[in-house]
Amino acid sequence: MRDVAVIGVGMQKWGELWKKSLRDIFTESALLAIDEAGVDRIDSMYVGCMSSGLFVGQEHLGSLLADYLGVAPIPALRVESACASGGAAFRQAYFDVASGANDIVLAGGVEKMTDVDGGGATFALSTAADAEYEVYSGVTFPGLYAMVAVAHMHAYGTTREQLAEVSVKNHKNGALNPLAQYPFEVTVDQVLSSVMIADPLTILDCSPITDGAAAAILCPLDMVDDLTDNEPVKILSSAHATDSIALHSRKDLTWLSAVAKAGQIAYKSAGLTPSDIDFVEVHDCFTIAEICAIEALGFFEKGKGGTGAASGETAMGGRIPVNPSGGLKSKGHPVGATGIAQIVETVKQLRGDGGERQVEGARVGMAQNMGGTGGSCVTHILGKA
Amino acid sequence: MAGIIGYGAYVPRNRIKVEEIAKVWGADAPSYKRGLMLQEKSVPSPDQDVITMSVEATKHALARAQIDPARIGAVYVGSESHPYAVKPSGTVLAEAIGATPEVHCADFEFACKAGSEAMFVCMGLADAGSIEYGLAVGADTSQGAPSDALEYSAAAGAASFIIGRDPGVAKVIDTYAFMTDTPDFWRRSYMHYPRHAGRFTGEPAYFKHITSCANGIMEKVNMKPKDFAYVVFHQPNGKFPQRVGKMLGFTKEQIEPGWLSPTLGNTYSGSSPMGLTATLDVAKPGDMILMVSYGSGAGSDGFVFEVTGKIDEVRNVAPRTRELLDKKKYIEYGTYAKYRRKIRMGE
Amino acid sequence: MSTSAKYWRGIPQRYRLEAERCASCGMEFFPPRLVCSGCGARKFMPITLGDHGKLLTYTVIRVGPSEFCEQTPYAMGIVELEGGVRMTAQIADVDFDDLEVGMPVRIEFRKIREEGQAGILCYGYKFVPAD
């Protein structure tokens, strides 16, 4: 296996992009990544997208997007693992390069979510859960994570305020991210008093509905000097794990075992431990998800994620800054693009391009991208080359 | 003769008071309460219909009957509010209790008499030896047009009976039926609410058919009102069953146990069958029970039952009808209008 | 689009709670599957689940998917049935303030959803507070 580097990333501002179609959104970000890398060709590409079929009525994305990016007839494939689709696409691109099959590979992610109404979006997202034994009964994603939250609060005494602190912190970080959908700060009181979506989660506990894309260009580490003047970032490890997609099938409703498993594999194959990670982008689709993720990734003891989130240790300048980009909460969550956007942020931080939200001295960063209620998790560790 | 092997009822939790309905329409609640002898009525939740209530009532009946559902040879659901216009309620019920596939299913409709006719047919089949057990259900989520007098009474509930060849808990001594063409109440195809003929629904309809049927069956079995421990009539409101009972020479005490309508409302096809389940809940071995249903259009089915010693063994195996009636939550008219889909929604 | 076949296929589970027990390790599965996720065995015995259990966690859905918009708000929960099988369903006939972890519930047969004005009616299990 060859060592693999990321030599270019691209992302445009996320939000409700009424004027732009899925293909426009993707192509713009892909071109940014290609131009930033300075490459003159792409050998293959992988696009993470959860549900273009339900959101915009379009499948067969690989070919469509390769055509519109002007790179057909290269092999192009859409990759799906619910909200972990972006991370999964990046992992496929990594293997494509590492294996020697291709040299310059684009990993992208895209979701166009505002072409359906709220009920339609809620339904499309719910298909990441068990359609016949969860969704059939009327469950939603906020509902599933709300049930995780209630179980966590019951088991560990996690409080409503601790959940809110996750949102407050991520919005504070996101306020410094010009590409974020909602770059403004919120207070604990605002989170608690915002409209209830699924008790105890309010709308400010939930990541938003977002249109957006992101892209990264990968190549063999030993070809970096021939291809680009950009500072490369090395992929130290790539890990993927699965769990039952039905939340009720888990022994412990508060524990994301796929996240823990993928984290363990990622640490091991990079030869690192949680204390070696300078910052992490975690999949905070809901505030409780960040609390569970920082436990499963070993940054906090099991059950201590709530107190950890409120302790300031996950804030910028804290022991382990979590979601310097603003996370899914503030930056937005175009589901298929999220995993790639985490990579974009990680690469920027490791290059020292974090701007106002730069994690000082960042040398190793982690990106944890999860599907459903943790039925899949793709985790990457990247480091300065 | 056949007998009732097991019985059960089901009542949704929601209730609305007469005052709450009257308030919306500017009607005089005290006169409704006095005139119709109605206090409140049951209201189904949006996830409850004839099929769901039939299944739950039948679970109670099966608990009392203690039989293998696969031995049920006929499943008949009587209702005027079957959830589908075309597609049987009975097959869902049969599937849910595990009676399929060797079973005969039919949905009956005869205004408020559909439940008793399901019982009637099951008894005939059991007597004829065609089936070992039959399941007869009367259930309705009846609708009364907003502001109409029926809105104060149209309620929801179900009663279920496992009928067999043995006497079971109540032996069927005899049956009798009395029918004429009397257009007192009807609902045309595709219409949401029924129509009725006002005071014509009384004397020439309800009272004539029930008294004729009751007198007919009492003559047939050579019994008089005093020979019965209890009597159950169809209960379109609180007043009619009391009045018809008096006309026939029954006492309040004979009517009382099965007289559910003041706090239940009119459960249409479930009405007299639920009166019977409530009566069986308190009956003693040897008690004779007369039941006379009434369905507009019009007709009455009459039954004479003799309660057996088995009643004491099964009575408490499932919830009693009045226990179900006592579990309630009052809702306001707005919630009622939402639950009963009286609000026009956006597409 | 009719989902008749998909609905019909699930009737044994949705109506009658038909499940299975691994012949090798005894683990119970709802719905039935072909391979035991506990021990890898492929032989099972059919079982029917009981209808009582306790609430492990819950929520109240205020914003529902398109087909459930008219039903909101509604409570949902994960219940562990006697025997250990867990399932997700709505909790009907409950006052939201009464919801709590550990609350005893039982199963009732209810209408789950309707496929529009003209489509099939879909039934199944919901939890209700046990008395």
Side-chain angles (χ1 to χ4, degrees), chain A residues 36-75:
Chain A
E36 196 198 78
V39 293
D40 58 6
R41 70 169 213 275
I42 299 290
D43 297 334
S44 77
M45 71 180 218
Y46 297 87
V47 182
C49 180
M50 178 190 158
S51 195
S52 53
L54 290 174
F55 282 118
V56 298
Q58 178 72 62
E59 308 289 13
H60 208 170
L61 277 193
S63 300
L64 176 83
L65 299 178
D67 179 20
Y68 273 75
L69 188 58
V71 294
I74 68 161

Side-chain angles (χ1 to χ4, degrees), chain A residues 115-355:
Chain A
D115 278 358
V116 292
D117 61 17
T122 303
F123 172 73
L125 291 170
S126 74
T127 61
D130 186 325
E132 294 184 30
Y133 289 91
E134 290 182 311
V135 184
Y136 179 83
S137 291
V139 87
T140 62
F141 259 90
L144 286 165
Y145 274 99
M147 290 196 282
V148 174
V150 167
H152 205 281
M153 293 162 94
H154 184 261
Y156 303 114
T158 303
T159 67
R160 190 59 204 83
E161 288 72 19
Q162 289 167 349
L163 296 173
E165 291 286 2
V166 173
S167 182
V168 170
K169 182 263 295 172
N170 286 349
H171 269 284
K172 190 173 182 190
N173 295 351
L176 303 176
N177 183 350
L179 302 183
Q181 180 176 13
Y182 294 119
F184 52 72
E185 297 192 24
V186 299
T187 65
V188 168
D189 280 348
Q190 282 175 317
V191 176
L192 298 183
S193 62
S194 65
V195 64
M196 194 65 82
I197 300 297
D199 306 31
L201 302 181
T202 69
I203 196 159
L204 286 176
D205 285 293
C206 306
S207 56
I209 301 287
T210 312
D211 298 329
I217 307 296
L218 292 73
C219 77
L221 189 62
D222 61 13
M223 286 175 64
V224 167
D225 290 343
D226 301 332
L227 289 170
T228 182
D229 298 330
N230 250 2
E231 185 186 343
V233 167
K234 187 182 171 188
I235 299 171
L236 302 179
S237 62
S238 172
H240 184 189
T242 57
D243 194 1
S244 68
I245 69 170
L247 178 64
H248 59 238
S249 298
R250 317 255 176 90
K251 279 200 188 77
D252 183 346
L253 300 174
T254 67
W255 185 246
L256 300 173
S257 72
V259 177
K261 185 73 184 168
Q264 287 155 12
I265 295 168
Y267 289 128
K268 192 177 175 194
S269 72
L272 299 170
T273 67
S275 62
D276 298 317
I277 307 295
D278 296 319
F279 68 93
V280 59
E281 286 282 309
V282 307
H283 195 96
D284 61 317
C285 47
F286 299 90
T287 49
I288 182 65
E290 178 164 318
I291 286 171
C292 293
I294 58 180
E295 292 178 13
L297 292 171
F299 298 118
F300 292 90
E301 281 176 43
K302 187 175 178 183
K304 297 282 171 58
T307 47
S311 68
E313 290 180 75
T314 60
M316 299 299 279
R319 175 169 66 84
I320 172 71
V322 176
N323 283 326
S325 70
L328 284 54
K329 179 70 210 74
S330 167
K331 187 176 64 208
H333 183 29
V335 281
T338 282
I340 301 293
Q342 292 177 325
I343 298 290
V344 170
E345 179 69 11
T346 306
V347 167
K348 284 184 181 173
Q349 289 287 346
L350 293 173
R351 282 181 189 158
D353 291 342

Side-chain angles (χ1 to χ4, degrees), chain B residues 33 35 48 69 83 92 105 165 177 208 211 246 250 279-280 328:
Chain B
K33 292 174 76 170
Q48 294 176 310
V92 184
C105 285
R165 295 173 198 168
K208 175 183 151 187
T211 52
K246 200 172 173 187
F250 288 93
T279 303
L280 287 171
K328 57 188 170 186

Side-chain angles (χ1 to χ4, degrees), chain C residues 33-47:
Chain C
R33 43 176 79 192
L34 298 175
V35 181
C36 175
S37 64
C39 72
R42 301 182 192 177
K43 278 200 179 141
F44 296 91
M45 269 112 61
I47 57 169

